[in-house]
Amino acid sequence: MGRLDWKRYGRFNANYETTDIMATLRGRQAEVGERVQYYRFSHADSSGDDLYDEGTGQGKVFIGPYRIPALHVIHSQGGAQDTPQGLYAVDNLSITASFDALRKMGFSDQDIDHRKYLTDRVVYDDKVFRVMSIAVLGQIQNRDIIVSVECVQVNPDELVNDAQFARWSQPV
């Protein structure tokens, strides 16, 4: 660990520390981590209804899947909500990953700052999830280290018009 005093030009500077942390996280992910399939929404290739957010023409197009190594994944079953159409259950997914893993698939700080991930999808446990938020959990001198990706399930009836996710559009 680096010294926290005035010395600036030693071996243990912030760059050395963050590089070492990233290498350690990659090692942990390789041993005990999980992987999720991440799909980036392609604004250029997609066509959809502006009002109802449904695919039209060729529909919604996603780039991927990117296999993201995650440090920890929590899949929690949501409670059933009573709606006029009947019971509606939605699961939640919480992914903890290194920012380095996301950066390797093309993510940048700007993607997080401008919420470009809000139309992305994640597949885990044979279910499709919509990305709701990404939060930076750890940072060293403005270098993001750990991120949390929070997702909510997209139920099969909502995937009918998404050709790439047709496999998951059938009720279980």
Side-chain angles (χ1 to χ4, degrees):
M1 195 56 135
R3 289 178 51 173
L4 299 178
D5 61 4
W6 57 270
K7 188 174 178 181
R8 302 174 94 189
Y9 302 106
R11 175 179 170 202
F12 300 108
N13 58 24
N15 188 42
Y16 175 86
E17 293 294 339
T18 54
T19 302
D20 196 38
I21 289 169
M22 293 297 185
T24 303
L25 290 176
R26 280 192 298 276
R28 183 184 187 286
Q29 288 167 347
E31 291 297 318
V32 297
E34 298 185 58
R35 294 190 182 272
V36 297
Q37 294 180 29
Y38 197 101
Y39 293 82
R40 301 277 326 248
F41 181 71
S42 174
H43 293 278
D45 299 328
S46 298
S47 59
D49 186 279
D50 293 334
L51 182 60
Y52 295 108
D53 191 36
E54 294 177 351
T56 60
Q58 100 181 37
K60 296 178 183 176
V61 177
F62 295 85
I63 301 167
Y66 298 97
R67 291 180 42 95
I68 305 284
L71 296 166
H72 191 66
V73 179
I74 299 172
H75 177 192
S76 57
Q77 295 182 352
Q81 302 168 1
D82 193 13
T83 66
Q85 294 80 20
L87 293 178
Y88 193 77
V90 177
D91 291 358
N92 296 306
L93 188 70
S94 180
I95 305 163
T96 305
S98 73
F99 184 73
D100 191 42
L102 292 177
R103 189 179 65 234
K104 287 183 179 178
M105 64 164 253
F107 252 91
S108 69
D109 296 329
Q110 295 300 316
D111 290 332
I112 294 175
D113 289 345
H114 294 105
R115 294 178 176 85
K116 293 182 181 178
Y117 55 81
L118 288 174
T119 48
D120 293 349
R121 299 284 187 263
V122 172
V123 174
Y124 183 76
D125 268 353
D126 209 31
K127 294 184 180 180
V128 179
F129 295 86
R130 175 183 298 116
V131 178
M132 299 303 288
S133 68
I134 296 179
V136 176
L137 301 180
Q139 199 177 59
I140 296 177
Q141 288 189 351
N142 295 327
R143 286 182 74 180
D144 298 339
I145 305 293
I146 302 286
V147 294
S148 169
V149 181
E150 299 298 324
C151 307
V152 66
Q153 182 183 2
V154 180
N155 278 322
D157 60 330
E158 300 173 74
L159 295 170
V160 185
N161 295 328
D162 291 343
Q164 284 179 278
F165 299 106
R167 175 178 154 215
W168 294 282
S169 66
Q170 305 302 317
V172 180

